[in-house]
Amino acid sequence: MTIAFPPQTSSSPPGLQPEGWLRYLSFSLDHKVIGLQYMVAGFFFYLVGGALAGMIRVELVSPISDFISRETYNEVLTLHGTVMIFLWIVPVVNGAFGNYLIPFYVGARDMAFPRLNAVAFWLIPPAGFLLIASYFIAGAAQSGWTAYPPLSLTTPAAGQVVWILSVLLLGGSSIFGGINFIATVLKMRRPGLKLMQLPMYCWAMLGTSILVVLSTPVLAGTLVLLSFDIIAHTGFFNPALGGNAVVYQHLFWFYSHPAVYIMVLPAFGLVSEILPVHARKPLFGYTTMVYSILGIVFLGLIVWAHHMFTSATPPWMRLFFTIATAFIAVPTGIKFFNWLATLWGGKIALNSAMLFSCAFIIHFVFGGITGVALAQVPFDIHVHDTYFVVGHFHYVVYGGTVFVIFGSIYHWFPKFTGRMLNEDLGRFHFLITFIGFNLCFAPQHWLGLNGMPRRVAEYDPQFTLMNQISSVGALLMAVSTLPFLINVFWSAFSGRVAGDNPWNALTPEWLTSSPPPVENWKGEAPLVQHPYGYGVTPGQIDLGAATGREIWSSGQ
Amino acid sequence: MTAFSPSSDQSPSNTLAPPLREGSAPMAQVATENGHPDHRMFGLATFLVADGMTFAGFFAAYLTFRAVNPLPAGAVYELELILPTINTVLLVLSSFTFHRAAKELRHDQLGACRLWLLITAGLGLAFLGGQMVEYFSLPFGLTDNLYASTFYALTGFHGLHVSLGALMILIVWWQARTPGRFTADHHFGVEAAELYWHFVDGIWLVLYGILYLL
Ligand code: HEM
Ligand SMILES: [Cu+2]
């Protein structure tokens, strides 16, 4: 490959932006720096949210509320949900990987609006600290991450107002990010690159960002009204003052069902990048993948009331939302089978990235099936607000998205830092995460089916054993972060040097140095029209020549 | 060494094409700002979609209240029609005057453009004044009942948008006094303020329809 080096015209005058590690603490405009800022901040909040989850699981080891008081338990579970969703999953799976990868994938030197991008990131730390500080100062909100009125109107006001403020800031950050992704994917593609040639993660982020732009503002408006109810004693959602609490639920879920796709669609995209590389095969069914994403975006906007089957929803509404929800299984199923077909007959390298991705597929199918079951009214009426729902969404959010985040870190760490993560530690990390996760959340389905309500600090003693098993699983999950953290810190300084393209991948982020230079490529941006061209040109990849393990180690 | 190396793995169509740079032929038709392609209008339009969804949420809430939450006996909620109708006319008119201002600018008539901008801002401020008069003459307050609260929330949120829009217009009007700040084909500030103003105007028409006419 011979590349001519045209004279560099740097857009940001040198000297204005700090160099070295300091730029990670600065208002940097570089999309790669911002991506890693999202990543590290997100991981910090993951540890916070994990500590909160630990408190929940310790409390639930015994049927009585002995470890923390009931009020504290409510605060802890509210903070746990809010932190994990708004400060860990959404920022990392969108902000971190999106900012890092999308400009590469469209062949651009940065996002469409670099300054807006930095603003979007820097809204997150203050919002996060505000939220956490509320626990220590006035007592945190107690009404769960859903903040349903009238509960959110009767629990202590100060914590709830801070919660609203924090979520508004995070929503704003998310909207700014979404606008940026849409503009970057649609407007910043290098000449000659067509939409249908983009890596799948671009489509996933486009779909996600459409959901963000269409639904997050509705949540923001709703929370403003909720704050009026709390502060000014208006009665929008307060039945005691003639208001309507169910309207809040509709508006909330109009955001929050799409929000589950905001959390999982980018993970779909990331998996679609990882599988072809480590299976040495083209992504199966590119076109159907694209239309599935668009289908999920559309259907995702019209299924929200499946969260409200016990909120006196009229029969026609139940019927419509059950059917619409069942339809989502179609595009989701298409994606699932496409991933399987991608793996089928490939030279699979069972490295950490691949292991986490395969576990994602398994968990997501399971969580998807319980999801479709939950959308059936007669079943949902029995298990709504029980641990069955908790089991369902942890299978999709943790077993799905968080597993993909870890897989993606193993996959892209060499690009981020120029060094490889240690594979043995990585597989060890995978093993305990996988066991711990399933041990923690599989029993919760049983608990829910047998009637254990969620969000309560105490439970019937007959549920003790299952809860203890679940808590042991949680302990394993907590332990599993240790090998990961050790791996990251050790490898960042002393890991094996990765080189530009350790996986022999074809997507554009690998066609530059590791870590990449400011503005992504020294010289011209490559035009990658076949990001999954593994083996499509006969003679280039010899599938018979090596086992997956050899192919994988050939890249080392 | 197995069958692939990064270069042999490279399928032939993954080629290197000229850099994405200002001035290179395929990008020439895209306006640039500080050497980067300028997509600010696109970004603003996307933002307005988001902003519109906030209003859509409010409208949906209001219409649902109308459908299922009757006004309790004894609660006061009455609106006059004359003042808001005058206000509607003012706001619609201001969309046309802004359009006129932008047209003058495209014909390089900076003076006329500034005059029409000022008229537009005046109409916007008149609208806000009318809104204030209405607020003070209404027989109900913010927390009197559900409809009263909804009325103030909706018109207040819209009024906030009008205030911001009027401020934007006054800012571009002020900036336009420097010759060369806005040219016939390079005037993002004016364009942005115009799009925003039409948006605010359109939202008002929906509000007027569902709050006063329905
Ligand atoms: C594959 C299709 C899916 C279907 C059909 C589905 C269906 C459902 C249904 C019907 C409920 C309501 C249960 C109840 O409260 O009684 C629910 C809850 C939930 N789902 Fe899913 N789901 C799906 C995928 C997902 C995904 C991908 C995520 C996140 C990434 C997710 C996250 C959640 C969450 C967080 C809740 C609980 C919300 C709460 O009440 O706090 N679901 N799901
Ligand atoms: Cu849902």
Side-chain angles (χ1 to χ4, degrees):
Chain A
M1 223 183 320
T2 45
I3 306 174
F5 288 88
Q8 284 288 295
T9 47
S10 177
S11 58
S12 41
L16 268 184
Q17 304 249 324
E19 297 287 321
W21 63 273
L22 261 183
R23 66 206 147 112
Y24 292 101
L25 296 177
S26 75
F27 191 78
S28 172
L29 304 185
D30 183 342
H31 71 100
K32 298 179 290 298
V33 174
I34 294 176
L36 293 180
Q37 286 174 326
Y38 269 107
M39 182 94 65
V40 173
F43 202 84
F44 169 78
F45 288 116
Y46 174 62
L47 296 179
V48 173
L52 292 159
M55 289 171 77
I56 294 176
R57 282 320 315 172
V58 171
E59 170 59 60
L60 294 177
V61 166
S62 68
I64 52 166
S65 118
D66 43 8
F67 174 62
I68 42 179
S69 73
R70 295 167 189 167
E71 286 72 24
T72 314
Y73 182 86
N74 293 346
E75 294 178 29
V76 167
L77 83 87
T78 302
L79 283 181
H80 163 72
T82 314
V83 166
M84 288 300 201
I85 290 174
F86 293 113
L87 288 160
W88 154 241
I89 296 202
V90 173
V92 170
V93 86
N94 290 274
F97 291 106
N99 277 305
Y100 202 97
L101 298 175
I102 294 290
F104 281 110
Y105 285 176
V106 301
R109 308 220 172 245
D110 211 312
M111 297 285 287
F113 309 112
R115 227 163 288 134
L116 186 68
N117 206 12
V119 171
F121 169 73
W122 282 106
L123 284 174
I124 289 182
F129 286 115
L130 198 64
L131 188 68
I132 296 168
S134 73
Y135 177 85
F136 296 101
I137 295 165
Q142 293 189 31
S143 54
W145 82 282
T146 48
Y148 272 11
L151 187 60
S152 49
L153 305 176
T154 52
T155 44
Q160 196 65 53
V161 172
V162 175
W163 182 91
I164 290 175
L165 197 62
S166 167
V167 173
L168 284 178
L169 289 174
L170 296 168
S173 158
S174 183
I175 293 172
F176 291 157
I179 292 173
N180 224 334
F181 288 127
I182 293 179
T184 308
V185 172
L186 293 183
K187 293 286 182 183
M188 297 287 284
R189 288 192 316 283
R190 73 173 325 297
L193 188 59
K194 299 202 176 65
L195 272 175
M196 287 308 260
Q197 297 168 336
L198 289 175
M200 194 51 61
Y201 183 58
C202 293
W203 282 102
M205 282 309 297
L206 182 63
T208 307
S209 304
I210 292 173
L211 287 177
V212 166
V213 164
L214 291 181
S215 66
T216 314
V218 176
L219 176 76
T222 310
L223 291 183
V224 170
L225 294 187
L226 185 67
S227 69
F228 285 163
D229 276 4
I230 297 173
I231 301 167
H233 302 288
T234 53
F236 297 109
F237 306 127
N238 191 348
L241 298 177
N244 191 330
V246 176
V247 168
Y248 175 90
Q249 298 187 12
H250 277 294
L251 294 173
F252 178 83
W253 288 112
F254 182 80
Y255 164 73
S256 289
H257 180 81
V260 308
Y261 286 102
I262 292 169
M263 292 186 265
V264 91
L265 271 181
F268 287 179
L270 292 169
V271 160
S272 305
E273 302 305 329
I274 296 173
L275 294 181
V277 173
H278 299 282
R280 310 314 301 173
K281 274 189 63 194
L283 183 68
F284 188 90
Y286 181 95
T287 317
T288 55
M289 285 290 215
V290 170
Y291 287 111
S292 305
I293 289 175
L294 299 180
I296 289 176
V297 167
F298 172 69
L299 289 172
L301 285 166
I302 54 165
V303 298
W304 73 88
H306 64 214
H307 295 272
M308 300 169 53
F309 287 145
T310 58
S311 305
T313 33
W316 66 265
M317 212 186 253
R318 291 176 161 189
L319 190 69
F320 174 81
F321 283 100
T322 294
I323 294 175
T325 307
F327 267 115
I328 284 211
V330 176
T332 315
I334 291 175
K335 299 188 75 74
F336 167 71
F337 285 112
N338 281 343
W339 291 320
L340 289 192
T342 305
L343 292 175
W344 191 266
K347 288 290 165 190
I348 295 174
L350 272 185
N351 51 27
S352 314
M354 189 56 138
L355 286 169
F356 274 105
S357 305
C358 291
F360 153 84
I361 299 179
I362 298 168
H363 295 148
F364 190 78
V365 168
F366 190 72
I369 289 173
T370 56
V372 175
L374 281 170
Q376 311 310 310
V377 179
F379 180 69
D380 184 62
I381 288 175
H382 285 281
V383 293
H384 174 65
D385 253 344
T386 69
Y387 259 82
F388 191 89
V389 176
V390 179
H392 155 67
F393 68 71
H394 281 90
Y395 262 81
V396 281
V397 181
Y398 197 104
T401 304
V402 178
F403 270 66
V404 170
I405 292 175
F406 282 125
S408 304
I409 293 176
Y410 284 99
H411 183 76
W412 278 288
F413 189 85
K415 186 50 63 180
F416 297 159
T417 62
R419 289 176 187 274
M420 306 294 288
L421 281 169
N422 181 294
E423 264 307 316
D424 295 329
L425 266 179
R427 290 181 200 181
F428 180 60
H429 169 217
F430 168 76
L431 195 69
I432 12 182
T433 315
F434 183 76
I435 297 174
F437 166 76
N438 283 290
L439 206 58
C440 182
F441 292 108
Q444 298 188 352
H445 296 90
W446 183 89
L447 285 170
L449 287 171
N450 284 280
M452 178 174 161
R454 64 191 277 208
R455 290 181 169 162
V456 187
E458 301 174 353
Y459 55 86
D460 193 295
Q462 60 164 316
F463 299 130
T464 312
L465 177 65
M466 280 299 177
N467 270 297
Q468 287 171 344
I469 295 177
S470 180
S471 292
V472 171
L475 181 66
L476 273 183
M477 289 165 78
V479 172
S480 78
T481 44
L482 286 179
F484 175 73
L485 283 174
I486 294 172
N487 200 351
V488 164
F489 281 110
W490 183 82
S491 304
F493 299 105
S494 345
R496 199 159 24 75
V497 173
D500 293 358
N501 192 354
W503 311 121
N504 290 318
L506 294 178
T507 40
E509 81 274 29
W510 299 103
L511 308 180
T512 182
S513 60
S514 309
V518 178
E519 303 225 315
N520 299 347
W521 295 277
K522 291 244 159 59
E524 305 160 343
L527 176 63
V528 177
Q529 287 170 320
H530 290 277
Y532 305 112
Y534 308 100
V536 286
T537 320
Q540 287 211 323
I541 291 182
D542 187 357
L543 282 177
T547 63
R549 173 180 289 272
E550 280 173 62
I551 287 181
W552 168 60
S553 46
S554 76
Q556 297 183 356
Chain B
M1 190 63 206
T2 44
F4 32 15
S5 65
S7 47
S8 76
D9 217 19
Q10 198 71 62
S11 94
S13 50
N14 289 349
T15 48
L16 295 165
L20 201 162
R21 271 283 165 237
E22 169 193 22
S24 71
M27 299 298 287
Q29 68 273 39
V30 179
T32 58
E33 194 238 348
N34 298 337
H36 282 288
D38 183 359
H39 298 300
R40 286 176 296 178
M41 280 311 284
F42 181 85
L44 177 66
T46 319
F47 174 77
L48 290 181
V49 171
D51 204 10
M53 285 307 292
T54 320
F55 278 105
F58 287 158
F59 296 161
Y62 169 74
L63 292 174
T64 317
F65 291 152
R66 284 282 296 253
V68 298
N69 288 63
L71 192 65
V76 182
Y77 179 70
E78 286 151 19
L79 298 173
E80 295 287 342
L81 207 55
I82 303 171
L83 193 54
T85 307
I86 298 176
N87 255 350
T88 308
V89 173
L90 292 181
L91 212 53
V92 171
L93 208 61
S94 74
S95 251
F96 285 102
T97 55
F98 206 144
H99 188 72
R100 180 69 193 264
K103 200 166 141 195
E104 297 291 354
L105 184 55
R106 276 194 294 276
H107 293 151
D108 252 335
Q109 303 294 325
L110 206 57
C113 167
R114 292 192 71 213
L115 180 66
W116 284 107
L117 280 177
L118 204 58
I119 294 173
T120 311
L123 288 169
L125 293 175
F127 173 91
L128 287 173
Q131 188 98 70
M132 277 300 133
V133 173
E134 187 189 19
Y135 276 11
F136 283 109
S137 62
L138 285 174
F140 52 80
L142 174 66
T143 57
D144 281 10
N145 57 61
L146 178 60
Y147 287 89
S149 308
T150 317
F151 173 83
Y152 284 112
L154 259 64
T155 52
F157 191 55
H158 177 265
L160 196 70
H161 279 74
V162 178
S163 320
L164 281 178
L167 194 67
M168 277 164 75
I169 298 174
L170 288 175
I171 289 175
V172 289
W173 170 78
W174 183 247
Q175 288 176 336
R177 84 195 191 290
T178 323
R181 183 76 173 74
F182 298 120
T183 63
D185 39 31
H186 209 81
H187 48 262
F188 168 73
V190 179
E191 235 181 318
E194 185 185 357
L195 184 65
Y196 181 81
W197 194 251
H198 292 323
F199 166 80
V200 171
D201 195 10
I203 293 287
W204 174 257
L205 291 180
V206 182
L207 258 188
Y208 178 71
I210 63 175
L211 276 183
Y212 296 94
L213 300 184
L214 198 69

